[in-house]
Amino acid sequence: MRTTREPDGPASAATPADRVIGADTTTDTTGSPAPASAALLRRTAGVVIVGSVMSVLDMTIVNVALHRLSEAFHAPLATIQWAASAYTLALAAVIPASAWAMGRFGAKRTYLGALTLFSLGSLLAACAWSAGSLIAFRAVQGLGGGLLMPVGMAMVMRAADPARLGRVMALLGLPIIVGPVAGPVLGGWLVDSASWQWIFLVNLPVGAVALFLAAKLLRSDAPGSSASPPRLDVPGLLMLSPGLALLLYGLARGGEGGTFTAPDALLPTLAGTALVAAFARRSLTAREPLLDLKLLRDRTFRAGIVTLTLFTCGYFGSMLLGPMYWQQGRGMTATAAGLLGAPAGLTVGLVMQIASRRVDKVSPRRLIRAGIAVGALGMALTALQAGSAEAAPWRFVTASVVMGIGAGMVMMPTMTTASRDLPRARMTAASTLLSINSQIGASVGTALLSVTLTEAGTTPTGFRTTYAIAALLLTLALLPASQLPTRRP
């Protein structure tokens, strides 16, 4: 039988956005929101998947085209890289406001606004006339992209019955299959065969389809009571959004420079950490905080968050190593490096589809811990292969596929397990916390492994050491995963 978690506190502890229950759900005789129909759930998931594919494709396509953009705008590569960094910083700054926006305007309106903003940013980026304008328009894209993931996930989580949540989360993992595999190939083809503008213009037809489907298929939800509309926690927003942006900026600068002690990396990192810590303290005492951190008092949710933090640090941080190893360590082209990385990306997506459904039927702790162990083993095997300059490519690819099997068994199943038994009214806050956690974990891991590789050097020994540290981070995730539930859902 499905057990009920002990309450985290009185109902009034939820934020205004969390108390909003739109028409995506119905209400039973106890006043609790009941699951939506299967048809509505499929429609909602379908719309969110289309929007997610557009966002994931955009990130992977732009990364491939940075060198061509540097040539087109006659700007140093370090400057053009801010086209990617500006997107990430804007994304991190707007995610904290997603819960309030859903409570104030409704989830459907917020999602439509995010799609519109992302599509508009794509059009403006295609019309950029300088490196500065491109960076500014990428920030506009980031504001829209930052709302797509938490709002879309919240709509699906609120509409899904807990017993079906794993299957639904598996569907939300489909963009992870498409993005890393199709993005680099599509981006390279567009840049080589057409022009750099098309890496942004390709978002417009997808955005138009997503807007049409969202307007037609998403059920309108009430933005809250007109008598007491949710209030925006302005002090909290002024702490958390700039804090996250400064923290990610400092980590990025540290990764680029190969050290965290340089003033341009250390100062923003410390300032961002201080602002985030101040927000955390305020969130635990404020009457209507921007983000309800009291969710972390729930043992399962807390264990899931910490597990994902350590795993995403090691896994997403290591994603920068593969292309550098093939191009700088083995002298291969960017296209060849992308193709050699495709098998691991496909493996992650395919295994995720299976594992996310199995977590509805088996012990979450056993499944996720097994995935962490397999992922750590694959990362360690990759370290061994990277330590040899003459290792056959198929051996390296095989090791990365093993790592991909583990990643597919961990990420979506952990998110599902962490949020499955939460009160449905708190799913909005949960999805926002999970989105912020993913951004921070990936940024910390990328910066840490970048600094490690810079200090160790882009030699076989350097790559082996860096991959070994990534394997250690994955292994550490076994500790919090031991606190996940052993019972079947």
Side-chain angles (χ1 to χ4, degrees):
M1 295 179 59
R2 176 175 175 265
T3 59
T4 303
R5 298 185 185 184
E6 295 181 1
D8 297 326
S12 59
T15 62
D18 294 331
R19 293 197 296 267
V20 174
I21 304 297
D24 288 344
T25 57
T26 56
T27 304
D28 60 23
T29 56
T30 66
S32 299
S37 68
L40 175 60
L41 178 57
R42 287 194 296 269
R43 294 199 300 268
T44 304
V47 171
V48 172
I49 288 170
V50 174
S52 298
V53 166
M54 178 177 66
S55 177
V56 172
L57 275 177
D58 178 80
M59 288 188 288
T60 54
I61 287 176
V62 171
N63 288 337
V64 172
L66 289 178
H67 283 282
R68 183 60 58 87
L69 291 171
S70 176
E71 297 172 356
F73 291 111
H74 306 288
L77 184 60
T79 299
I80 291 298
Q81 283 178 335
W82 278 103
S85 300
Y87 180 92
T88 302
L89 295 180
L91 182 144
V94 77
I95 285 177
S98 60
W100 170 82
M102 280 184 275
R104 180 65 179 84
F105 305 107
K108 179 177 179 177
R109 291 180 181 178
T110 304
Y111 197 74
L112 287 170
L115 288 172
T116 302
L117 195 58
F118 188 91
S119 300
L120 176 62
S122 299
L123 177 60
L124 292 173
C127 299
W129 58 87
S130 65
S133 63
L134 176 65
I135 293 169
F137 296 146
R138 283 286 288 166
V140 175
Q141 271 189 299
L143 294 176
L147 292 173
L148 285 177
M149 181 167 59
V151 176
M153 186 182 296
M155 289 191 298
V156 172
M157 290 167 65
R158 290 192 311 187
D161 183 277
R164 294 183 290 173
L165 187 56
R167 282 170 283 177
V168 175
M169 295 295 278
L171 293 176
L172 296 186
L174 286 173
I176 297 178
I177 302 177
V178 177
V181 177
V185 177
L186 179 60
W189 179 75
L190 288 173
V191 169
D192 293 337
S193 302
S195 66
W196 65 265
Q197 286 89 347
W198 281 99
I199 65 174
F200 302 111
L201 292 175
V202 73
N203 292 328
L204 299 184
V206 183
V209 172
L211 277 168
F212 174 80
L213 293 176
K216 286 289 186 180
L217 300 181
L218 293 181
R219 184 180 295 178
S220 298
D221 54 343
S225 171
S226 59
S228 56
R231 295 191 306 172
L232 177 63
D233 178 17
V234 176
L237 183 65
L238 294 178
M239 293 177 187
L240 185 57
S241 290
L244 287 174
L246 284 170
L247 177 60
L248 297 187
Y249 172 79
L251 292 172
R253 293 295 297 173
E256 293 170 4
T259 177
F260 292 120
T261 58
D264 62 344
L266 181 61
L267 294 180
T269 300
L270 292 177
T273 302
L275 285 172
V276 172
F279 168 80
R281 181 178 180 181
R282 171 185 169 79
S283 177
L284 296 175
T285 57
R287 181 182 176 185
E288 296 182 349
L290 179 70
L291 196 59
D292 185 13
L293 295 185
K294 293 177 182 178
L295 278 172
L296 295 175
R297 294 176 179 174
D298 184 284
R299 175 179 173 178
T300 302
F301 188 78
R302 182 175 63 250
I305 283 282
V306 178
T307 299
L308 286 169
T309 299
L310 291 170
F311 196 88
T312 54
C313 271
Y315 177 69
F316 286 109
S318 71
M319 293 185 72
L320 68 94
L321 300 177
M324 294 180 67
Y325 171 77
W326 292 121
Q327 294 179 68
Q328 298 184 26
R330 304 293 292 268
M332 295 186 179
T333 64
T335 302
L339 291 174
L340 288 169
L346 282 172
T347 300
V348 173
L350 294 174
V351 173
M352 185 180 296
Q353 296 303 303
I354 300 171
S356 297
R357 288 169 170 81
R358 291 296 297 167
V359 80
D360 286 339
K361 303 175 182 179
V362 302
S363 167
R365 182 190 297 181
R366 292 179 181 176
L367 174 66
I368 293 168
R369 281 176 59 87
I372 293 172
V374 172
L377 173 63
M379 194 74 78
L381 293 174
T382 305
L384 290 176
Q385 299 305 316
S388 172
E390 299 178 357
W394 69 265
R395 296 172 61 181
F396 188 100
V397 172
T398 300
S400 65
V401 166
V402 174
M403 179 176 60
I405 292 173
M409 295 171 64
V410 173
M411 290 186 289
M412 282 299 183
T414 304
M415 290 186 182
T416 302
T417 303
S419 55
R420 186 193 303 276
D421 290 341
L422 290 174
R424 194 168 298 274
R426 308 187 79 178
M427 289 299 190
T428 298
S431 68
T432 305
L433 274 174
L434 289 170
S435 299
I436 291 174
N437 179 71
S438 297
Q439 287 297 317
I440 293 178
S443 298
V444 170
T446 300
L448 175 62
L449 297 185
S450 294
V451 170
T452 302
L453 185 62
T454 299
E455 293 180 350
T458 53
T459 62
T461 301
F463 281 108
R464 180 177 58 196
T465 301
T466 309
Y467 271 114
I469 291 177
L472 176 62
L473 289 171
L474 298 189
T475 304
L476 290 175
L478 288 169
L479 299 177
S482 299
Q483 302 299 313
L484 294 172
T486 57
R487 61 177 174 79
R488 296 180 181 182

